[in-house]
């Protein structure tokens, strides 16, 4: 590895580690867990996915989307059941990757991707507002003005420093610079230590202390499936985004296996479950991190913070980290999606808005599923409308229908409406040279058409079927003459 590349990855990993700590602590607290569980999870998942995953430069950790999924489980059954859920969820992820299902992410339309990115950008920004509270009370007066000033200073450094030099990541300079300013001037502002104390020892191996029986499986399985689904979706969509930013290609199946294995190790060592984190990935890529080393450094640094550097890390002002995350939210949001209204079909705009809103108010899995359903229904609607038929009388007195398009569930009725069994002559020919049969609805439509002509006392002859269409009809037991 070239020295310049090595230096860039190390600095990017260090910068990313500063952003990982408050996020993982916050997500652990959301899930009613010890903050150390979030940090251990971040160390294990970030390091292992960086080492063995399919997308260098992408950062994984104890993500908020996973925390939201398991809150109810922790409250009702406790931490040990959570750890068992993380183990089972990781196993599901590994199976997903081994079955080579990662390519299913190609089924996600681009408008859904835009909605996903926009929704997570809004979530990242909204999550920072919690740092403007002390307990349940919003900051006011001098503490609020100081917080806003330091946030603005941090954002100013991140935006302006690249105009002067690109030798060091601007986010790293902003965090360390604002932290040093607060320390030297003894400014009374909240620090990372006010969120939680992060000092601790090495994570230890211990299987969850639960009864290993079918009753336990019935409790944890629904949460494990949902956790795996959310984690895989966020990871694969973040992988796609990373591919676009770096103009390179990742390997989704390998990433799924590595993520699942990392979650299993995390659960076995008392850590939270996790997946790709879009905010930290954007920070890493924006800081120059492109190789596996950047993720490894980020993960190992989180552990070093816990073991040795907690007194220093706890002095970092929250305002500096909030400022960096606000910049990340601004850079993550696909602002171009706001300008496409009127330039792209209204259905695509609807998908973008729907996925964005659903991501913010529910969860990523629901949002992506809804987006895919909306996009699929729109595709089916427009594809069905493209089916049409040319009809003309033949010299022998028969009638020829030449149908163009795709015959499937949404176009079955328009297909049948092209014909006039009552008014047609005794002999009718259906030319399928430009017609594709897709599903059982297509076969049923052809069967219905034949029955209508039979009831009218007329004969329908079908010609020029493709080999694929013939195969479909043979399997369904339909005659092709």
């Amino acid at each position: 590895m070239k020295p310049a590349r090595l230096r860039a990855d190390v600095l990017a990993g260090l910068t990313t580690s500063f952003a990982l700590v408050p996020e993982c602590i916050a997500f652990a607290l959301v899930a009613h867990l010890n903050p150390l569980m979030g940090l251990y999870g971040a160390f294990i998942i970030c390091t292992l996915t960086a080492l063995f995953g399919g997308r260098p430069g992408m950062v994984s950790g104890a993500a908020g989307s996973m925390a939201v999924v398991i809150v109810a489980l922790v409250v009702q059954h406790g931490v040990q059941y959570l750890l068992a859920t993380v183990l089972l969820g990781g196993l599901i992820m590994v199976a997903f990757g081994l079955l080579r299902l990662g390519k299913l992410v190609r089924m996600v339309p681009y408008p859904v991707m835009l909605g996903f990115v926009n929704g997570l950008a809004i979530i990242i920004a909204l999550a920072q507002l919690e740092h403007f509270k002390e307990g349940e009370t919003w900051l006011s007066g001098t503490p609020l003005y100081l917080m806003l000033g330091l946030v603005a200073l941090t954002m100013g450094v991140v935006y302006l420093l690249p105009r002067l030099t690109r030798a060091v990541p601007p986010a790293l300079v902003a965090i360390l610079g604002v932290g040093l300013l607060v320390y030297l001037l003894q400014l009374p502002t909240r620090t990372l230590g006010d969120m939680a104390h992060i000092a601790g020892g090495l994570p230890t191996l211990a299987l969850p202390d639960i009864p290993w029986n079918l009753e336990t499986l019935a409790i944890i399985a629904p949460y494990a499936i949902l956790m795996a689904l959310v984690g895989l979706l966020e990871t694969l969509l973040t992988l796609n985004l990373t591919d676009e930013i770096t103009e390179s290609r990742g390997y989704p199946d390998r990433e799924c296996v590595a993520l699942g294995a990392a979650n299993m190790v995390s659960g076995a060592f008392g850590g939270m479950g996790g997946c790709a984190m879009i905010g930290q990935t954007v920070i890493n890529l924006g800081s120059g991190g492109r190789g596996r080393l950047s993720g490894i450094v980020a993960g190992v640094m989180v552990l070093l913070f816990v073991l040795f550097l907690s007194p220093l890390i706890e002095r970092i002002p929250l305002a500096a980290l909030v400022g960096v995350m606000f910049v990340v939210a601004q850079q993550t949001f696909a602002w171009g999606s706001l300008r496409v209204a009127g330039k792209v079909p209204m259905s695509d705009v609807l998908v973008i808005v729907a996925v964005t809103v659903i991501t913010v108010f529910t969860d990523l899995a629901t949002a992506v599923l809804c987006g895919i359903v909306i996009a699929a229904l729109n595709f089916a609607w427009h594809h069905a409308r493209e089916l049409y038929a040319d009809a003309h009388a033949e010299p022998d007195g028969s009638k020829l229908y030449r149908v163009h398009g795709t015959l499937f569930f949404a176009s079955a009725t328009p297909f049948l409406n092209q014909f006039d069994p009552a008014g047609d002559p005794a002999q009718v020919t259906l030319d399928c040279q430009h017609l594709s049969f897709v599903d059982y609805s297509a076969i049923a439509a052809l069967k219905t058409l034949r029955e209508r002509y039979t009831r009218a006392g007329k004969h329908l002859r079908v010609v020029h079927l493709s080999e694929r269409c013939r195969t479909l009809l043979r399997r369904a037991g339909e005659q092709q003459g």
Side-chain angles (χ1 to χ4, degrees):
M1 183 180 289
K2 296 180 180 179
R5 177 76 271 145
L6 183 70
R7 177 176 173 276
D9 278 346
V10 170
L11 289 177
L14 180 60
T15 307
T16 305
S17 67
F18 286 125
L20 270 172
V21 172
E23 295 290 298
C24 293
I25 290 175
F27 297 148
L29 294 175
V30 165
H32 301 276
L33 299 172
N34 185 322
L36 283 175
M37 291 186 67
L39 296 174
Y40 288 148
F43 154 63
I44 293 169
I45 295 171
C46 185
T47 305
L48 292 182
T49 54
L51 277 168
F52 305 110
R55 178 62 270 179
M58 191 167 74
V59 176
S60 298
S65 55
M66 304 284 272
V68 173
V69 168
I70 48 86
V71 172
L73 175 67
V74 176
V75 171
Q76 294 175 17
H77 300 282
V79 171
Q80 295 301 316
Y81 278 82
L82 164 67
L83 297 177
T85 302
V86 174
L87 286 171
L88 181 57
L91 185 62
I92 294 171
M93 293 177 184
V94 170
F96 189 91
L98 292 177
L99 292 173
R100 306 183 68 82
L101 298 177
K103 56 181 174 291
L104 291 178
V105 74
R106 299 172 191 164
M107 299 293 291
V108 179
Y110 188 65
V112 175
M113 273 288 298
L114 290 178
F116 153 77
V117 169
N118 291 348
L120 287 189
I122 293 172
I123 289 174
I124 290 170
L126 292 177
Q128 308 315 308
L129 299 182
E130 289 296 316
H131 299 307
F132 287 86
K133 289 182 177 180
E134 192 161 7
E136 295 298 321
T137 307
W138 290 96
L139 296 177
S140 61
T142 301
L144 175 62
Y145 299 138
L146 181 59
M147 183 79 169
L148 291 173
L150 293 174
V151 169
L153 176 61
T154 303
M155 295 176 70
V157 172
V158 174
Y159 282 125
L160 297 176
L161 185 63
R163 299 185 180 184
L164 302 176
T165 178
R166 293 186 178 273
V168 288
L172 179 61
V173 174
I175 293 170
L176 295 180
V178 172
L180 185 61
L181 178 68
V182 168
Y183 175 73
L184 293 177
L185 299 181
Q186 294 296 300
L187 298 176
T189 187
R190 298 180 70 222
T191 63
L192 187 58
D194 294 323
M195 287 185 68
H197 295 293
I198 64 173
L202 286 170
T204 56
L205 176 63
L207 289 178
D209 184 15
I210 58 171
W212 296 89
N213 53 36
L214 291 178
E215 184 179 348
T216 298
L217 181 62
I219 293 173
I220 67 174
Y223 292 98
I225 293 170
L226 185 56
M227 177 185 288
L229 178 61
V230 171
L232 288 168
L233 270 175
E234 186 160 355
T235 296
L236 292 174
L237 293 177
T238 304
L239 184 145
N240 269 6
L241 180 66
T242 307
D243 285 353
E244 289 184 18
I245 294 174
T246 61
E247 297 181 353
S248 59
R249 177 174 172 267
Y251 299 92
D253 294 321
R254 179 174 174 178
E255 186 66 33
C256 293
V257 173
L259 179 65
N263 271 277
M264 293 177 71
V265 174
S266 179
F269 280 86
M272 280 179 64
C275 62
M277 303 177 72
I278 190 169
Q280 283 64 27
T281 297
V282 170
I283 290 176
N284 186 50
L285 298 175
S287 302
R290 291 294 185 273
R292 296 186 182 277
L293 183 60
S294 60
I296 295 170
V297 169
V300 171
M301 286 304 301
V302 170
L303 181 62
L304 294 180
F305 294 158
V306 172
L307 295 178
F308 309 114
L309 303 176
S310 58
L312 294 176
I313 298 304
E314 289 176 5
R315 291 184 179 180
I316 294 177
L318 286 175
L321 300 170
V322 169
V324 169
M325 295 310 293
F326 274 145
V327 173
V328 168
Q330 179 270 318
Q331 293 176 342
T332 302
F333 195 91
W335 296 99
S337 62
L338 300 179
R339 297 190 293 269
V340 300
K343 300 179 182 178
V344 299
M346 202 61 202
S347 57
D348 287 340
V349 176
L350 173 64
V351 170
I352 295 172
V353 173
V355 174
T356 300
V357 172
I358 297 172
T359 299
V360 172
F361 288 101
T362 58
D363 60 73
L364 176 65
T366 303
V368 172
L369 180 61
C370 290
I372 292 174
V373 168
I374 294 171
L377 290 175
N378 176 65
F379 173 81
W381 171 256
H382 285 287
H383 216 53
R385 294 173 63 187
E386 293 177 357
L387 185 139
Y388 67 96
D390 297 326
H392 61 269
E394 295 286 87
D396 60 1
S398 65
K399 190 172 183 178
L400 173 68
Y401 286 92
R402 185 173 287 112
V403 184
H404 301 256
T406 305
L407 186 53
F408 63 116
F409 65 91
S411 61
T413 299
F415 168 76
L416 293 172
N417 291 339
Q418 304 292 324
F419 301 87
D420 181 20
D424 283 345
Q427 296 293 329
V428 177
T429 300
L430 169 60
D431 188 342
C432 296
Q433 184 173 3
H434 304 288
L435 180 66
S436 295
F437 288 69
V438 173
D439 57 9
Y440 185 73
S441 295
I443 298 169
L446 181 59
K447 181 179 179 181
T448 299
L449 183 65
R450 277 180 163 159
E451 290 173 349
R452 288 181 181 180
Y453 276 103
T454 300
R455 285 197 300 269
K458 299 167 185 179
H459 176 67
L460 175 68
R461 187 168 67 100
V462 182
V463 299
H464 293 150
L465 279 169
S466 68
E467 188 56 39
R468 181 174 179 277
C469 296
R470 290 176 183 275
T471 301
L472 278 174
L473 291 170
R474 276 197 298 270
R475 286 177 179 174
E478 289 291 307
Q479 299 298 319
Q480 298 154 28

